[in-house]
Amino acid sequence: MDFDCDILISGGGVAGLTAAATFGAAGFRVICVDPTPPVTERDAENSDLRTTAILQPARALLEQSGLWERYAPYAAPLQIMRIVDAGGEIAEPRVVREFNAADISDQPFGWNLPNWLLRRELVARLGDLDTVDFRPGTGTRSLFTREGEARVGLSDGTRLSARLVIACDGRGSPMRDAAGIDVHTRRYGQKALAFAVTHPIPHENVSTEIHRTGGPFTLVPLPDHEGRPSSAVVWMEEGPKAQDLLALDTGAFEAAMSERSCHLFGPLTLASRRTIWPIISQEAERLSGERLALMAEAAHVVPPIGAQGLNMSLADLRCLLDLARARPEGLGDRAMLEAYHRARHNDVRLRVQGIDLLNRASMVSAQPLRDLRAKGLDALYALAPVRKTLMQMGLGVR
């Protein structure tokens, strides 16, 4: 049977483009579509100002696909993860625990990069691959599958046949919906602000997560910006408060974020525009259907805690690639996709549930509960074996 491609990828975000580059570099014929062309400049309208921490286990996969050599010059290493409880009457640290990657590895935990830059380098890499046809501005509209093939209708009226469809098309995935796969969603009433800052005190490659109320305030190292130390910030708050913060003028916002950061890096200066998005957890009932694999946010969505989001997606991708290489003749068949679901489903469920618990703990506002959280943090993370286990679990190596 003749196919238009081996793999059709629905979705051209960071995960979808990475899947296209990875399978293309492995020799599979790939078509990747997305209705919205990627924004690849920092200050362009609608650019994604969030950052992504690429954890250790993902680096080998990115090296194989020719992506890491593009990322490396811009990557800020994450050597230490610092957890701060500032849940007292005033915004100041009262419990501080640090996790140093040197305790478990000779490499950093990971490397942080801006999402807009990841898209820029991904698009450039796809341009080098004859095996990949990237079609920005075109989306998926329909899905018809049978035992031997998938047929996908596109927004430009064309229909394509493929051996495997990979849905990387977000939390509202049209391919997942077309396959009739249900999702379970948890809503927290939270929103997250994302932006970049500069500060007078160097971050020294320390990622800092500060817990008070409403959700964590996280500063993740970036390369220097205009000669000053710089960090990416994700500030999670109750929805109405997040909207109020978004509406503040620059001076008032800088005062608010400096206080929320406990002044650990000195006064913070806004170095980008602010973006906002709702926080949910979401989990697909199954990670596969006939000739269809769900990946990334089509399969799972978690709050931005512990750098798990994209790294869960890259674990999905690594699993799919290993299965495809092991049996190229079985690409997209029932045996491959059942094996994919079995291999990933339990890990996804445990991580979604674990991050849900961490987020709920970070949201508490009543002072007795905040005090209890601080005591638990102090007791738990003070134990060296527990600290080491948590670091290994966070990297996905245990």
Side-chain angles (χ1 to χ4, degrees), residues 174-196:
M175 291 292 93
R176 184 190 65 219
D177 290 348
I181 299 174
D182 290 334
V183 292
H184 305 286
T185 303
R186 301 180 184 92
R187 303 189 186 278
Y188 302 100
Q190 288 171 296
K191 291 187 177 180
L193 295 160
F195 48 92

Side-chain angles (χ1 to χ4, degrees), residues 229-297:
S230 182
S231 295
V233 176
V234 175
W235 186 354
M236 293 166 59
E237 270 294 356
E238 295 175 0
K241 184 173 181 179
Q243 289 291 164
D244 290 343
L245 289 165
L246 183 66
L248 292 176
D249 63 40
T250 299
F253 185 77
E254 288 179 341
M257 67 178 175
S258 295
E259 179 183 8
R260 183 62 177 80
S261 72
C262 301
H263 300 278
L264 291 177
F265 297 97
L268 305 181
T269 301
L270 195 62
S272 72
R273 61 185 176 85
R274 290 164 271 177
T275 59
I276 190 169
W277 79 97
I279 298 298
I280 66 169
S281 286
Q282 188 165 277
E283 182 183 354
E285 195 170 82
R286 286 193 54 82
L287 301 184
S288 64
E290 188 174 60
R291 292 283 159 183
L292 174 70
L294 305 186
M295 198 187 112
E297 288 201 340

Side-chain angles (χ1 to χ4, degrees), residues 185-215:
T185 303
R186 301 180 184 92
R187 303 189 186 278
Y188 302 100
Q190 288 171 296
K191 291 187 177 180
L193 295 160
F195 48 92
V197 299
T198 58
H199 39 79
I201 300 174
H203 51 60
E204 297 181 339
N205 298 325
V206 177
S207 177
T208 302
E209 192 172 279
I210 304 167
H211 295 262
R212 187 161 169 75
T213 65

Side-chain angles (χ1 to χ4, degrees), residues 128-172:
D128 294 336
L129 293 168
D130 295 337
T131 48
V132 179
D133 178 6
F134 177 42
R135 303 184 186 182
T138 303
T140 50
R141 287 285 177 83
S142 63
L143 174 68
F144 171 78
T145 63
R146 53 188 182 186
E147 186 70 23
E149 68 171 334
R151 295 180 182 176
V152 179
L154 303 183
S155 59
D156 63 5
T158 60
R159 293 181 63 84
L160 299 175
S161 61
R163 299 170 67 193
L164 171 65
V165 176
I166 300 179
C168 292
D169 41 8
R171 55 187 67 181

